[in-house]
Amino acid sequence: MIGSQCRAARALVEITRGKLSLRSGIDEAVIRDFEHKLDKPNEKTIAVLQSVLEELGAVFIEENGGGIGVRRKFTGSEAKRIARMEGEGGIVANDRVQ
């Protein structure tokens, strides 16, 4: 995880730097400096931050040709709601207009 992924993950899971600090036990200034590319904490600290963010629903995406990233994972109930909404709208038919 890099600093910009940390910042993006916090936004996705809607947690402040202060709350992330409390949950992870890592000083808020360390998180701020990491997110603003002012300093890079050790790998153990980064792993702790990533773990807490993943517990809150962030999914980190490795370099896959399109760049690194982060997204929000869906809970089981959210996935069921999405599946139900995708099934609404009636019978699927050919969209071709003649």
Side-chain angles (χ1 to χ4, degrees):
M1 176 177 73
I2 62 172
S4 57
Q5 280 180 300
C6 183
R7 189 171 60 247
R10 273 194 320 99
L12 286 171
V13 300
E14 300 177 356
I15 189 171
T16 64
R17 230 182 254 126
K19 288 182 181 176
L20 179 58
S21 174
L22 289 173
R23 288 186 75 131
S24 66
I26 296 167
D27 190 83
E28 189 173 346
V30 171
I31 299 169
R32 183 195 63 235
D33 290 350
F34 177 48
E35 290 181 348
H36 291 288
K37 299 179 185 178
L38 299 173
D39 194 17
K40 183 177 179 189
N42 64 45
E43 293 301 319
K44 182 180 177 188
T45 299
I46 293 171
V48 169
L49 290 171
Q50 183 170 338
S51 176
V52 170
L53 290 165
E54 287 173 339
E55 287 171 10
L56 294 170
V59 176
F60 292 88
I61 302 165
E62 298 292 326
E63 172 61 55
N64 60 4
I68 61 170
V70 64
R71 68 176 179 82
R72 187 172 176 268
K73 70 179 171 185
F74 295 108
T75 64
S77 63
E78 288 172 324
K80 286 178 186 175
R81 255 185 300 165
I82 291 168
R84 187 171 48 249
M85 287 189 295
E86 287 176 343
E88 292 179 354
I91 299 171
V92 177
N94 188 343
D95 290 336
R96 191 167 178 202
V97 178
Q98 297 179 354

